[in-house]
Amino acid sequence: FPVTIDLPKLHPVAVLQLRLRDLFVIYAGPVRGVQIAHPALLTLQHQLEKAESSFDYFNPFSWPSLLKKLAIFEDSCLLLPFWSSASLPLNLYLLKRHRGSSIAIVHNWKDHERGLRWLSLKKAILQCNGILYHQQSGLAELSQFPYQEATLHHPLPAIPWEPQPPSQIAARRTLNIPQIDRVFLFWGLIRPYKGLEDLLVAFGNLSPRFPATLLVAGEPWGRSREIRKKLESLQKSHSCRFHLNWIPEREMPVWFAAADIVVTPYLSGSGSAVVSQARHFKKPLITTSVALDSLPSLACEIVEPGNIQQLHTALSKFIDESFWLKKQKEAQFFPESSWISYVESLQKCLVRIQSKNP
């Protein structure tokens, strides 16, 4: 049975025949003038005869041609990522016109959107025949979903990187970071619920004599001027580097290689893809229970959401060499979820849908 897959965050649509050597990939082309060039897509292009860029998420005029291509697979199952309302128009377009079943891939149920956007997103998700949810802690939120037997959980695996990330020395030279400093990284889209402003206050309360650098890398979604001002103010007294723009995922390894500790001080939400990346790069974490969607690891220092004093204490602990070495050693044993089991979960969800609708 063919499956139409839209891989999370990579913007492709893949039609998988589930027969050996028969894979057809349709993926998004330029998005707002930025050409998608993820290594995974480039690898697929080189390895497959049938791979093409044929639609744009933000150009409705490109959607009919995509629908024509998908019409070849009338009984296929659409896997639709719901990361934010940005994907909602295309997803609704496909849901309304595609004859087969559909599975929603849901990262956060509430915290990415508010108000009417969230209600629209929720309505679209409930139109699907199955759900793969990334966060174990939020499964109860989906109790109103009519197809409970086709609601499965699987944590989001980290993106595999080839070639290997640069050494820490090389990465810090690239980013102009002192080699001797303890480096804390805040990574990803900057939104109010992620707690960056609490982190800036907590880091600013550290003694300027501490050999520590804060890295902030990501695109602000709102209040970008205010965030920039706060970072510039912090730079007057502390070592702080920031890049307030969208960063291509292929550049991610440089930032994680340069860091000693990843900080995810989320105030709300049901999980974090950044935690998956930190685990992949074997970096200790300062995090809240909001971002850590599994049993606490020894390599994590967990603080209460919104508790700036606890966050400051956690930062201070990692300045100590013996404490950091202990946490760094424990981080080498971080458990990771695999993409193989992720695909198996999608297949299991599809089998349950088909058994209900033979």
Side-chain angles (χ1 to χ4, degrees):
F1 42 86
V3 182
T4 304
I5 298 179
D6 192 324
L7 299 175
K9 283 198 169 182
L10 302 187
H11 306 293
V13 172
V15 179
L16 176 59
Q17 284 288 92
L18 296 188
R19 294 194 297 267
L20 291 177
R21 301 177 184 176
D22 193 356
L23 182 65
F24 181 35
V25 178
I26 309 168
Y27 60 94
V31 177
R32 293 180 179 172
V34 179
Q35 179 67 40
I36 299 297
H38 190 277
L41 293 181
L42 298 178
T43 300
L44 281 173
Q45 250 187 331
H46 293 142
Q47 292 179 348
L48 301 173
E49 293 182 4
K50 301 176 182 178
E52 60 182 73
S53 168
S54 63
F55 73 98
D56 184 334
Y57 260 84
F58 303 100
N59 179 9
F61 294 105
S62 70
W63 300 349
S65 62
L66 170 62
L67 196 64
K68 283 184 179 180
K69 289 181 173 64
L70 298 183
I72 301 171
F73 309 94
E74 288 187 358
D75 296 325
S76 63
C77 178
L78 288 175
L79 304 189
L80 301 172
F82 288 88
W83 287 81
S84 73
S85 58
S87 63
L88 187 58
L90 176 59
N91 287 353
L92 286 173
Y93 178 88
L94 294 175
L95 281 171
K96 185 176 181 180
R97 292 164 177 82
H98 185 67
R99 296 182 181 180
S101 54
S102 57
I103 298 174
I105 298 175
V106 182
H107 187 61
N108 274 329
W109 179 244
K110 292 182 179 179
D111 294 274
H112 278 194
E113 305 296 341
R114 295 292 183 187
L116 290 176
R117 286 186 178 183
W118 177 71
L119 291 174
S120 300
L121 205 61
K122 174 183 171 183
K123 184 178 179 181
I125 291 171
L126 295 179
Q127 289 181 32
C128 295
N129 306 103
I131 294 177
L132 183 69
Y133 197 37
H134 289 162
Q135 319 303 339
Q136 178 72 49
S137 60
L139 284 176
E141 299 168 349
L142 300 177
S143 58
Q144 57 193 298
F145 184 64
Y147 307 108
Q148 285 298 305
E149 66 278 4
T151 301
L152 298 178
H153 160 258
H154 193 288
L156 179 68
I159 299 171
W161 294 101
E162 293 182 3
Q164 290 298 310
S167 68
Q168 187 171 86
I169 292 175
R172 291 191 177 187
R173 283 175 181 166
T174 300
L175 299 176
N176 191 28
I177 298 170
Q179 296 290 344
I180 64 170
D181 276 14
R182 188 78 69 242
V183 178
F184 300 89
L185 172 64
F186 179 97
W187 170 271
L189 292 174
I190 301 173
R191 308 186 73 166
Y193 72 88
K194 293 190 175 182
L196 173 60
E197 292 180 67
D198 285 355
L199 175 58
L200 298 185
V201 174
F203 190 84
N205 289 337
L206 292 175
S207 170
R209 296 175 304 197
F210 284 167
T213 293
L214 176 63
L215 286 182
V216 176
E219 180 183 5
W221 281 27
R223 302 174 62 219
S224 58
R225 288 186 181 179
E226 184 178 343
I227 292 170
R228 181 177 293 275
K229 285 182 179 179
K230 289 185 177 182
L231 285 163
E232 289 173 347
S233 176
L234 182 63
Q235 280 184 323
K236 295 176 181 178
S237 57
H238 292 72
S239 177
C240 176
R241 306 283 190 277
F242 60 89
H243 184 86
L244 300 184
N245 290 296
W246 179 77
I247 301 175
E249 288 181 331
R250 63 180 177 272
E251 297 179 13
M252 180 190 296
V254 175
W255 294 85
F256 277 82
D260 294 309
I261 302 101
V262 175
V263 189
T264 55
Y266 289 17
L267 304 175
S268 62
S270 46
S272 168
V274 179
V275 169
S276 298
Q277 296 301 337
R279 287 177 166 176
H280 179 71
F281 288 103
K282 308 300 182 186
K283 301 294 180 180
L285 281 152
I286 298 174
T287 184
T288 64
S289 57
V290 168
L292 194 65
D293 187 56
S294 60
L295 292 175
S297 166
L298 293 174
C300 299
E301 192 71 10
I302 301 174
V303 301
E304 295 176 1
N307 192 319
I308 295 176
Q309 181 56 49
Q310 284 188 9
L311 188 54
H312 170 263
T313 300
L315 294 169
S316 302
K317 285 182 178 179
F318 274 99
I319 302 296
D320 179 75
E321 184 74 10
S322 60
F323 183 87
W324 175 77
L325 287 174
K326 178 184 175 184
K327 293 293 186 180
Q328 175 64 17
K329 183 178 180 180
E330 291 163 348
Q332 305 311 304
F333 301 98
F334 264 144
E336 283 194 66
S337 57
S338 76
W339 284 106
I340 292 175
S341 62
Y342 190 89
V343 172
E344 288 173 348
S345 293
L346 289 170
Q347 291 174 332
K348 186 185 296 184
C349 188
L350 180 57
V351 168
R352 292 183 182 182
I353 291 172
Q354 291 181 325
S355 65
K356 186 176 178 63
N357 304 296

